[in-house]
Amino acid sequence: MTAITDAEFEQAASLAPGVVRRYLSGKGWNAERDLSGAELWEWRPQDEPGPPYELLVPVQRRRDYAGRVADILETLAVVEARPAGDILREMRLPPVDWQFLRLVPPGPSGTAPLLDLVSALTGLKDLHTAAASSALGGQPVQPAQKPQQVKDHVAAVRLDQTRVGSYVIAAHTPLPDGPYGGHDRRGQGSLFEETQPSEPFARKVSRMLYAGVACARAAADSTLAGDSVPHVEHMADAGLSANLCEALVKMAGEERRDFSLSFAWSSERPMEQPSPPVAISRAHTGALEAVAKDLRERLGREAGAMLRGVVAKLHWDASPREATVYGSFLHEDSPRYRRVRVELRPEDVARATEAGHNGWEVTVRGDVEPRGTGVRMRGVTEFVVRPE
């Protein structure tokens, strides 16, 4: 057992008893019985036979309080196989929900290729974006333009230090402060529907994230078992969307490596329903790609999108007349240029012709839907030419 440092000993003395108990409750420890000025907490590893681990947890500050907390930290360092300082830092965090992304990259344990991490982190960001969007209203295909509340949530997600177990990315979502709830098990029972009127948005996003990933895995299993893509839009209210499926595909990286997601819930707001880890294999990744494509092709119409670019080509053989506009959509967080086939109104034909001839910029508003590997804009309501 490694002793904690003098600086960590001083920090341990500053921890409130409720903070220590909250941490233990969140990690699966249970208070078994009260003793004189302390509680006996136990934890039984699922994969280890034998007696449980025990901790004597002070419930009030006494002369030897710092020493007792130091003993707890040293025991936890052994149980969790990580430095006591990391555990101490985590104890001092406000109430949070955790997500753990476990990658299985080649090479030594604890390392990962840079490209794998770039894909994984981008996918994790997109996963939170999809879950936050579903928390505001489930849709099988979410619009590219995201409300400010979704952006604020993603900005609040924090990455923590990696964990033992190949390569584990730990992220946490802060929850509003509240009274210590480690002993109050009146938490939320269901991960798939709201059960508390006062549920904070951050917790709703955490639930949607877990439920959406679990539904995505179920959709992938059904796709693989039936060798065809089922209709899964009824799972949108639980967090499943084309966007979430695409985020999971992105997390697998170009090499389509296996990975898993696990979740831990703040003991301030415990979840009564179990939330086992969700594993995504290479086969699941291919199935999720197919599920996302099916949802977009059938339900991927987006109303009122704004496109800005230049007229690259006019299609005189089309009825009604069409133009290809090379540009980007203004609602996208990270605009990318593409060729969009735009269905013109009769009054837009002359304007499009003049803009194309002179290379002028145009702004077009209409409804966007999939077209092959690209997109098409129909239902145009606005076509503005911006001469230089």
Side-chain angles (χ1 to χ4, degrees):
M1 181 180 296
T2 303
I4 67 173
T5 66
D6 291 342
E8 291 166 352
F9 188 88
E10 292 180 5
Q11 292 174 8
S14 68
L15 290 175
V19 170
V20 178
R21 291 149 63 204
R22 182 181 69 194
Y23 178 89
L24 294 175
S25 178
K27 295 295 183 179
W29 291 76
N30 296 296
E32 295 299 323
R33 58 183 180 273
D34 292 331
L35 302 173
S36 178
E39 294 173 340
L40 183 67
W41 287 64
E42 292 185 352
W43 180 69
R44 294 179 180 274
Q46 295 182 353
D47 54 351
E48 292 182 19
Y53 289 92
E54 293 183 343
L55 288 173
L56 193 61
V57 182
V59 297
Q60 54 185 304
R61 295 177 183 275
R62 292 185 174 177
R63 186 180 296 274
D64 63 344
Y65 178 77
R68 301 290 70 76
V69 177
D71 291 341
I72 292 171
L73 289 170
E74 290 174 349
T75 300
L76 290 174
V78 174
V79 172
E80 300 184 19
R82 59 192 184 117
D86 291 353
I87 298 171
L88 177 62
R89 179 185 49 77
E90 188 173 323
M91 280 187 178
R92 302 174 71 184
L93 290 174
V96 296
D97 285 338
W98 289 89
Q99 302 89 40
F100 301 99
L101 169 58
R102 182 178 183 272
L103 306 176
V104 191
S109 178
T111 69
L114 175 62
L115 292 180
D116 284 15
L117 290 181
V118 171
S119 297
L121 292 174
T122 304
L124 188 60
K125 171 182 173 290
D126 292 349
L127 198 69
H128 270 277
T129 301
S133 299
S134 292
L136 293 177
Q139 298 182 60
V141 181
Q142 297 163 353
Q145 186 170 7
K146 300 298 187 291
Q148 188 60 44
Q149 193 171 7
V150 171
K151 298 177 182 178
D152 290 343
H153 168 81
V154 175
V157 177
R158 309 295 294 179
L159 290 181
D160 203 78
Q161 295 178 350
T162 56
R163 298 293 193 267
V164 174
S166 191
Y167 198 95
V168 180
I169 299 172
H172 60 75
T173 308
L175 300 180
D177 289 329
Y180 168 68
H183 296 294
D184 183 0
R185 306 315 297 177
R186 294 175 297 173
Q188 292 174 294
S190 175
L191 287 162
F192 293 85
E193 61 182 11
E194 185 172 336
T195 56
Q196 288 184 349
S198 60
E199 180 181 46
F201 183 69
R203 164 51 63 86
K204 188 171 184 179
V205 174
S206 296
R207 277 197 308 103
M208 281 290 178
L209 204 158
Y210 176 79
V213 171
C215 288
R217 165 63 191 262
D221 285 338
S222 296
T223 300
L224 294 172
D227 199 23
S228 63
V229 180
H231 287 187
V232 295
E233 52 267 29
H234 62 282
M235 297 182 182
D237 288 339
L240 179 65
S241 66
N243 311 68
L244 183 135
C245 292
E246 289 161 351
L248 292 171
V249 171
K250 190 174 294 183
M251 291 165 74
E254 294 183 2
E255 300 297 327
R256 296 292 193 262
R257 304 195 197 281
D258 297 351
F259 67 91
S260 66
L261 283 159
S262 57
F263 301 79
W265 310 94
S266 169
S267 58
E268 294 281 357
R269 293 179 176 270
M271 293 298 307
E272 297 172 1
Q273 182 178 348
S275 52
V278 181
I280 304 295
S281 68
R282 183 186 184 93
H284 289 128
T285 300
L288 289 172
E289 214 164 21
V291 170
K293 181 180 179 181
D294 176 73
L295 288 173
R296 287 199 177 276
E297 288 180 347
R298 292 189 299 107
L299 307 167
R301 187 180 182 88
E302 184 170 348
M306 185 76 80
L307 172 68
R308 178 178 292 172
V310 295
V311 177
K313 185 177 181 181
L314 289 165
H315 303 274
W316 301 109
D317 56 340
S319 181
R321 297 284 173 81
E322 294 181 344
T324 295
V325 175
Y326 180 72
S328 62
F329 290 101
L330 302 186
H331 58 253
E332 294 181 334
D333 292 335
S334 301
R336 61 187 181 93
Y337 285 87
R338 68 184 89 181
R339 295 182 182 275
V340 181
R341 192 83 165 241
V342 178
E343 192 175 278
L344 301 173
R345 299 171 300 180
E347 61 267 32
D348 298 329
V349 175
R351 287 195 286 263
T353 302
E354 186 178 17
H357 178 73
N358 293 288
W360 292 338
E361 184 181 79
V362 300
T363 301
V364 192
R365 184 186 297 275
D367 301 336
V368 178
E369 60 185 35
R371 178 181 181 271
T373 58
V375 293
R376 175 199 298 270
M377 178 177 281
R378 288 177 170 171
V380 171
T381 59
E382 184 179 340
F383 193 105
V384 178
V385 178
R386 302 180 182 277
E388 294 182 350

